[in-house]
Amino acid sequence: MPVDDYVWPVALRLRDGTEIRNIPSIDVQHDMLSPGSAWAATLWWSKERGSEWREIRRKCVCGEMVFVEIGGATQMLGRIEETTVNAEGHNGGLELTLSGRDIIGRLIDWDADPRTQLRNTTLEEAIAALCDPFGVRVYACEAAAEREARGLPRRGRRTRTNRPRRRNVIDTTRIQIGQRVWEVIDKLCRANGFLVWGAPTEYSNTVELVIDKPAAASPPVFAFERVSQPDGTYRGNMLKGRHQVSTRNVPTEVTAFGHTALASGSDARLQRTVFNDRLVSPYVVAPDVFGPQPRFLRPDQARTEAAIGKAAERTFAQAMGDWRSYDVRVRGFGQLVGDQRRLYTQNTGARVRDDCEEPAIDENMVIRSVHFHESRERGQITELVLVPDGAITVTPDET
């Protein structure tokens, strides 16, 4: 596979339209399983750009909104949470580092208002009510639409007018004092069988929450290869590949306990044991040799055998989301797909082929996280974490 040496244009844009280019160093990270995407950018002072530096320094203060754009596509809508100015040498060289997270960061850190009414509202209405005090306008959108918005250059992009309605009705959730906003949102979405992660919108200063099911059995968009040659060298586009398997926190069986309602005056105990058949793999010894790694649960409000079974399956889903992963480092921020360049995006299928491993890896996987990094020393580098197709699942509550 030929290496694409295309250099993607990168810019920071502030609320007032100010654009900052020629950025010596920038990092942007996205991870489906770790909301609150981090970003950082470092700017250097020079005598020729002294007045521009002063203007940037005046505007780039903590709390300011920042858009990070790559190839004309917004990759991050966040806030400056920390500024650092370093001065080195007798020439007084200055270096300004800006860093923060996307706008979801505040929802992770701060408390949900316990007075917010969630009962008898839809999932989408409940999430909007939780986010409204923080000035975050919420739009549910499909994962496929979000990938298109992130991955394609701005030119030719179509405005999304149709979006799915998440009409699932909330019946029982109450907010506990001290409970974080994102904790409540994540719990609501998972209970209804969805994952939720943040993405910027192209059309106003808002955040779109992608509320959808993780990609599974999706056709691969990207390809990553490291293939040995007869002369002992390797061909492909990988700078580095790492295959990791970990069973440290993966249960082999989960037993969940519950009880029926006490309307009859008796406490009828329920229990169910579910076994983890997804651990059967060429990278794990046989079950009789592996031995037990049991978990025991008593899920809240589980009053039927089906409900406690769902709780057990949910434990497996959380543990198996990253038990096996493949880390890739490649040059550039995207690939030429057909006749169009596409930025790497999370929740997107990719074909991974690496015959350094035994047994060799040649399978469809899903991109879980993307880390863009650019510096003058290394140029543009992307580090990605991929997981097996279908590894990230969400088990809804029993209804």
Side-chain angles (χ1 to χ4, degrees):
M1 169 174 288
V3 176
D4 188 355
D5 292 325
Y6 177 75
V7 178
W8 295 78
V10 179
L12 298 181
R13 181 163 53 87
L14 306 180
R15 279 182 309 137
D16 65 357
T18 299
E19 285 196 355
I20 305 171
R21 297 184 179 271
N22 300 317
I23 304 168
S25 177
I26 191 163
D27 280 272
V28 178
Q29 301 181 53
H30 302 293
D31 192 322
M32 291 173 62
L33 301 183
S34 298
S37 299
W39 66 273
T42 298
L43 311 174
W44 293 345
W45 176 89
S46 68
K47 183 180 296 185
E48 294 77 15
R49 301 176 60 191
S51 59
E52 181 182 348
W53 167 277
R54 287 189 291 272
E55 184 70 6
I56 290 172
R57 186 68 187 95
R58 183 181 64 82
K59 293 181 178 181
C60 292
V61 295
C62 286
E64 181 57 81
M65 302 286 293
V66 173
F67 297 79
V68 181
E69 296 181 349
I70 300 177
T74 299
Q75 294 299 301
M76 180 78 66
L77 168 57
R79 293 182 183 273
I80 299 173
E81 295 181 315
E82 186 173 309
T83 64
T84 304
V85 177
N86 289 322
E88 291 187 16
H90 65 278
N91 292 326
L94 292 176
E95 179 183 272
L96 171 64
T97 299
L98 311 172
S99 61
R101 293 166 297 171
D102 67 15
I103 204 169
I104 303 302
R106 287 191 173 180
L107 305 181
I108 295 170
D109 289 347
W110 303 107
D111 295 359
D113 188 339
R115 298 166 295 186
T116 305
Q117 279 293 336
L118 301 181
R119 293 192 65 178
N120 299 319
T121 62
T122 66
L123 177 62
E124 195 170 335
E125 291 167 347
I127 294 174
L130 289 163
C131 293
D132 184 64
F134 298 87
V136 178
R137 297 175 57 192
V138 177
Y139 293 88
C141 75
E142 292 180 332
E146 184 264 348
R147 288 195 299 270
E148 292 297 309
R150 281 187 187 269
L152 296 177
R154 181 179 303 170
R155 52 187 177 275
R157 189 178 302 160
R158 294 173 295 179
T159 301
R160 300 193 295 276
T161 56
N162 297 320
R163 57 191 179 92
R165 306 293 296 179
R166 303 304 186 200
R167 304 302 299 177
N168 309 56
V169 177
I170 310 302
D171 290 325
T172 59
T173 297
R174 288 185 179 181
I175 301 171
Q176 304 299 317
I177 293 177
Q179 197 171 17
R180 302 293 193 263
V181 179
W182 191 260
E183 180 185 352
V184 181
I185 291 173
D186 185 61
K187 182 178 179 180
L188 288 173
C189 288
R190 287 180 180 273
N192 286 276
F194 299 114
L195 271 186
V196 56
W197 61 94
T201 171
E202 291 293 323
Y203 315 113
S204 62
N205 289 344
T206 65
V207 154
E208 289 183 351
L209 293 183
V210 183
I211 302 172
D212 209 340
K213 299 182 184 300
S218 57
V221 175
F222 304 109
F224 304 104
E225 291 185 349
R226 180 171 58 180
V227 182
S228 60
Q229 301 297 290
D231 62 359
T233 61
Y234 293 89
R235 66 170 174 83
N237 58 344
M238 291 189 199
L239 297 176
K240 182 180 179 181
R242 186 183 72 162
H243 183 212
Q244 183 170 2
V245 181
S246 175
T247 59
R248 181 170 299 164
N249 297 309
V250 178
T252 57
E253 61 189 73
V254 174
T255 300
F257 300 91
H259 59 82
T260 60
L262 299 179
S264 62
S266 63
D267 187 6
R269 294 288 176 180
L270 296 172
Q271 70 177 52
R272 183 175 178 184
T273 300
V274 181
F275 295 93
N276 188 1
D277 56 6
R278 284 183 284 178
L279 266 182
V280 177
S281 164
Y283 305 106
V284 180
V285 298
D288 59 330
V289 178
F290 189 89
Q293 294 188 169
R295 289 287 308 275
F296 297 90
L297 310 173
R298 186 174 183 182
D300 295 338
Q301 301 175 345
R303 301 184 182 277
T304 66
E305 187 174 345
I308 62 175
K310 290 279 189 180
E313 292 169 6
R314 189 175 300 112
T315 302
F316 288 139
Q318 292 173 350
M320 298 295 288
D322 60 356
W323 81 282
R324 184 165 80 88
S325 61
Y326 193 92
D327 298 1
V328 175
R329 181 184 298 164
V330 292
R331 191 168 301 282
F333 288 164
Q335 288 183 12
L336 189 64
V337 179
D339 60 354
Q340 191 168 33
R341 284 189 171 89
R342 293 183 61 114
L343 283 161
Y344 296 123
T345 51
Q346 59 190 354
N347 199 40
T348 306
R351 188 72 179 182
V352 178
R353 184 183 178 193
D354 183 1
D355 63 5
C356 293
E357 175 66 291
E358 181 59 42
I361 296 174
D362 189 3
E363 63 180 287
N364 290 347
M365 304 186 84
V366 174
I367 298 174
R368 196 200 77 195
S369 72
V370 180
H371 178 189
F372 297 117
H373 174 75
E374 181 175 11
S375 67
R376 292 186 176 178
E377 295 78 17
R378 295 199 303 170
Q380 293 184 341
I381 298 291
T382 304
E383 295 175 336
L384 306 101
V385 177
L386 300 98
V387 295
D389 205 352
I392 302 175
T393 59
V394 183
T395 303
D397 285 342
E398 181 69 14
T399 56

